[in-house]
Amino acid sequence: REWYGYHFPELIKIVPENSMYCRVAKFIGNRRELSEESLEGLEEIVMDSAKAQAILEASRSSMGMDISPLDLINIESFSRRVISLSDYRKGLQEYLRSKMSQVAPSLSALIGEVVGARLISHAGSLTNLAKYPASTVQILGAEKALFRALKTRGNTPKYGLIFHSTFIGRAAAKNKGRISRYLANKCTIASRIDCFSEVPTSVFGDKLREQVEERLAFYETGEPPRKNLEVMKEAVVE
């Protein structure tokens, strides 16, 4: 973006998304060669005719400097690398999503595929994760901070890998520790259901997620959440 920005600085504002920016930059090349004929190709990349028109107009009145053919060749090959990497990343995400929905559907539904996969990876296996108590799951990934705190008699960490879930980010600063403990409890339940259930299902994970949402609302509004027994009975019926 920085390199191509010297030639066509206005493009960054029109196309802020990185992988799309690379595709557009690779397609345009030298902005002086951009014409009405290129509009159709631009539309295909940005999926928006107004945006394609804006790029065309910006290229005509751009205040960027001229670019040498050698620089253009390098930018094009660089863009190709970035595009292939972003496609590979999408493929990996799809693979992770499908694998997690088979291996740990409840944990995925509760905390998301990426964080769930990190927890399983850190524990070594789903069975290992299911054997851990909730207090261990809560600080998985923060072992260094834990041992440092024990050594110096400081405060022990409130969360490890589960910090990357959206729930902790949404909680107020004073409730972050409480919600991480509650979330670790639910993760432990979800991982045990996934590990020992005959048929993989995400129903329990969805219900556990609802409980965490209710607990977040309880911290903010004081509205009492449902009891675990009621929620689990509902899940069993479903």
Side-chain angles (χ1 to χ4, degrees):
R1 283 166 68 141
E2 189 181 339
W3 197 358
Y4 194 67
Y6 290 122
H7 175 60
F8 191 1
E10 292 81 3
L11 188 61
I12 293 173
K13 286 175 185 168
I14 304 169
V15 187
E17 207 264 314
N18 280 335
S19 64
M20 194 183 282
Y21 182 91
C22 278
R23 288 174 204 277
V24 173
K26 181 171 168 284
F27 177 80
I28 294 171
N30 191 335
R31 65 177 163 77
R32 296 191 185 283
E33 292 167 13
L34 197 62
S35 60
E36 297 284 347
E37 287 87 63
S38 315
L39 259 180
E40 204 173 303
L42 264 179
E43 268 178 47
E44 274 178 33
I45 297 170
V46 297
M47 310 282 190
D48 186 347
S49 55
K51 211 175 249 186
Q53 192 63 45
I55 292 168
L56 183 64
E57 282 163 18
S59 71
R60 286 169 179 165
S61 59
S62 175
M63 60 182 206
M65 59 190 210
D66 288 339
I67 194 162
S68 70
L70 187 64
D71 273 4
L72 259 183
I73 292 164
N74 277 313
I75 287 171
E76 265 186 28
S77 72
F78 196 27
S79 300
R80 214 173 295 121
R81 289 271 176 89
V82 175
I83 292 162
S84 71
L85 273 176
S86 71
D87 289 342
Y88 175 57
R89 186 182 179 180
K90 277 178 194 162
L92 263 183
Q93 279 177 332
E94 282 305 313
Y95 167 74
L96 185 66
R97 192 171 291 122
S98 68
K99 204 74 178 159
M100 282 296 283
S101 64
Q102 293 164 12
V103 176
S106 286
L107 189 62
S108 301
L110 169 63
I111 204 170
E113 289 90 7
V114 177
V115 185
R118 280 181 184 167
L119 285 172
I120 293 171
S121 162
H122 202 84
S125 70
L126 182 60
T127 315
N128 283 358
L129 186 65
K131 286 176 186 171
Y132 285 157
S135 56
T136 304
V137 173
Q138 185 181 343
I139 54 166
L140 264 188
E143 289 84 1
K144 205 171 171 185
L146 174 70
F147 293 127
R148 187 173 60 234
L150 293 174
K151 214 176 199 176
T152 58
R153 299 198 176 161
N155 292 334
T156 51
K158 294 189 184 79
Y159 25 65
L161 287 167
I162 61 170
F163 180 75
H164 297 291
S165 77
T166 54
F167 298 115
I168 293 171
R170 281 161 48 200
K174 66 175 189 292
N175 295 325
K176 281 191 192 301
R178 294 162 80 189
I179 199 71
S180 72
R181 189 172 69 238
Y182 189 79
L183 185 58
N185 275 318
K186 298 302 171 199
C187 285
T188 309
I189 294 170
S191 61
R192 285 170 189 173
I193 290 168
D194 285 331
C195 186
F196 301 112
S197 61
E198 300 287 315
V199 184
T201 172
S202 62
V203 173
F204 290 98
D206 293 328
K207 291 290 179 191
L208 291 168
R209 190 181 179 88
E210 284 170 27
Q211 278 189 284
V212 183
E213 294 282 2
E214 284 172 22
R215 179 62 55 149
L216 268 177
F218 167 66
Y219 291 151
E220 283 164 24
T221 62
E223 187 184 322
R226 291 175 295 169
K227 292 271 189 290
N228 199 34
L229 190 63
E230 293 169 36
V231 179
M232 286 296 113
K233 276 179 181 171
E234 277 179 34
V236 169
V237 170
E238 273 188 40

